Amino acid sequence: MNSSAPIHPAERRTAPAVVAQGLVKTFGDFRAVSGIDLEVRRGEVFGVLGPNGAGKTTTLKMLATLLPIDGGRAEILGVDVAREPHRIRQLVGVTGQYASVDENLTGRENLWLFGRLQGLSRKRARATAEDLLGRFGLEEAGDKPISQFSGGMRRRLDLAASLITQPPLIFLDEPTTGLDPRTRGQMWDTIRELVAAGSTILLTTQYLDEADQLADRIAVIDHGLKVAEGTPEQLKNSVGSSTLHLRLEDAEQTARAAALTARLLGEVPVLTPESGGLNVALADANQAADVLIALRQADLGITSAAVRQPTLDEVFLTLTGHPGEPEAADESEATTPQPEEVH
Ligand SMILES: Nc1ncnc2c1ncn2[C@@H]1O[C@H](COP(=O)(O)OP(=O)(O)OP(=O)(O)O)[C@@H](O)[C@H]1O
Ligand SMILES: [Mg+2]
């Protein structure tokens, strides 16, 4: 925009979209974000994945200058977040759980108003509003007040509003939580279009499939800490490409089936709470057939078998050794049979 900044313009042109080092946020005695490092490259979709309360929104809010940074530092496109918050607000479009559109205005009025606030002429603001209503399938919602919008409509309007100025970096906080599958797919398409048009996207999600569909790289956070980082492929490989879910006819034989599976795959199955149930990560979905054949040959009957993609829970189980609470780290050992128990 202008050149009063203390940072060299050349450095800004090559700086990553986001660099965060040791980010900390405390609320009283509670450390919601406990020393997180992030680097988001220009032009990529970077996903921050984690369960409820992991610290995703708090991290995004600090980067967007909506919350002060309590420890560590962050730069966006070479601009220091704490030192130059006003510049950061010009570089980042923020949408998500903290959306603040005026409830009494219609969708059309809202977009028009955003456009005017961003300095567009009346005519340009009107044309942009119409264009965005069309792109987001909100034409018929254009005349409704926001207070009558469904969750999906709100989310789409919120994203549309953040696109009026095409900011170079867009933060999306759980862009599809609570949306139906069709609307979710539309959001994904829109996000892909933004990237194709040159935007960098930092998004949070609770869904591994969403991160998988959209993100070039992912950081998994849990309890305010980064527990893993990598491409979706790398993360999935760390938990197997898919999981085989089995239910045995005779629950008494579960340990035997688990041991056999472990020997076959070199991967120890996890017993599920329901009797006779076990889950095992597969490096390749085709291994499911090997397991089923081996069980049949060992006369171990099953009532059901299913192969599915890893869930976020399974990623966490593998990455952290526990489903949610760090104190319960021994739990998986207690329910995991050792392959040498049965021969
Ligand atoms: N203003 C606040 N005051 C006190 N605690 C807070 C505040 N904001 C967030 N927290 C706490 O910080 C932790 C992280 O919250 P955050 O909203 O960042 O989680 P999240 O990963 O975005 O979760 P969700 O998936 O539910 O949106 C939570 O335990 C939350 O209760
Ligand atoms: Mg959140």
Side-chain angles (χ1 to χ4, degrees):
M1 308 275 150
N2 61 53
S3 57
S4 63
I7 296 164
H8 276 290
E11 199 181 322
R12 290 192 166 175
R13 278 200 295 275
T14 54
V18 178
V19 178
Q21 289 159 341
L23 273 194
V24 172
K25 184 75 214 172
T26 50
F27 295 112
D29 293 341
F30 178 66
R31 276 164 83 92
V33 176
S34 199
I36 285 187
D37 298 336
L38 290 178
E39 183 168 326
V40 181
R41 300 168 191 152
R42 288 178 189 231
E44 77 175 345
V45 178
F46 191 92
V48 175
L49 189 66
N52 288 133
K56 304 181 296 294
T57 298
T58 306
T59 301
L60 239 60
K61 279 186 168 176
M62 282 193 283
L63 293 174
T65 77
L66 299 171
L67 270 179
I69 295 172
D70 293 341
R73 56 185 301 280
E75 275 185 9
I76 285 178
L77 295 162
V79 180
D80 189 276
V81 174
R83 279 208 307 260
E84 300 190 79
H86 56 289
R87 286 171 169 270
I88 298 299
R89 286 175 210 133
Q90 292 171 344
L91 295 171
V92 179
V94 180
T95 79
Q97 293 176 327
Y98 30 83
S100 58
V101 277
D102 188 323
E103 294 282 314
N104 298 314
L105 298 182
T106 67
R108 180 174 284 103
E109 287 166 344
N110 245 288
L111 291 176
W112 182 82
L113 182 64
F114 270 94
R116 291 290 286 156
L117 290 172
Q118 307 283 355
L120 301 186
S121 69
R122 288 173 168 273
K123 202 173 155 197
R124 190 95 194 83
R126 193 169 304 120
T128 305
E130 286 312 321
D131 172 48
L132 289 168
L133 289 172
R135 265 172 74 189
F136 285 82
L138 288 167
E139 293 100 333
E140 80 284 14
D143 297 320
K144 262 192 193 176
I146 309 297
S147 56
Q148 293 173 22
F149 274 33
S150 72
M153 287 158 73
R154 276 171 191 268
R155 213 67 69 80
R156 281 180 282 160
L157 184 74
D158 188 24
L159 181 55
S162 77
L163 299 187
I164 286 171
T165 55
Q166 270 281 338
L169 179 60
I170 301 169
F171 288 178
L172 303 174
D173 196 2
E174 299 197 19
T176 67
T177 296
L179 300 187
D180 65 49
R182 197 175 64 91
T183 316
R184 218 166 158 222
Q186 284 172 352
M187 275 301 251
W188 289 355
D189 289 342
T190 307
I191 292 168
R192 290 190 188 103
E193 281 169 26
L194 295 175
V195 177
S199 295
T200 302
I201 309 259
L202 175 59
L203 69 87
T204 72
T205 182
Q206 297 185 40
Y207 306 124
L208 187 62
D209 67 330
E210 178 155 299
D212 193 11
Q213 287 283 332
L214 292 175
D216 298 300
R217 290 189 306 129
I218 296 169
V220 181
I221 66 170
D222 189 19
H223 295 99
L225 289 166
K226 186 166 76 176
V227 296
E229 187 168 34
T231 64
E233 228 23 59
Q234 289 167 334
L235 283 178
K236 280 195 291 178
N237 287 344
S238 75
V239 290
S241 68
S242 46
T243 308
L244 173 64
H245 298 259
L246 290 173
R247 191 96 183 254
L248 292 159
E249 265 166 18
D250 181 358
E252 304 272 300
Q253 298 291 332
T254 313
R256 224 184 117 211
L260 192 145
T261 307
R263 274 206 305 280
L264 196 67
L265 301 180
E267 186 70 43
V268 180
V270 174
L271 303 194
T272 62
E274 66 272 359
S275 68
L278 56 92
N279 298 340
V280 65
L282 302 171
D284 171 355
N286 292 305
Q287 289 179 324
D290 300 339
V291 173
L292 295 179
I293 291 166
L295 291 176
R296 156 75 64 83
Q297 286 171 347
D299 268 338
L300 292 165
I302 54 168
T303 56
S304 67
V307 178
R308 60 170 173 71
Q309 283 292 95
T311 63
L312 187 57
D313 271 355
E314 285 151 359
V315 175
F316 276 112
L317 193 64
T318 307
L319 291 173
T320 66
H322 63 86
E325 300 294 324
E327 294 76 19
D330 289 339
E331 212 176 84
S332 64
E333 275 168 39
T335 56
T336 304
Q338 297 305 305
E340 47 278 1
E341 275 173 13
V342 183
H343 295 279

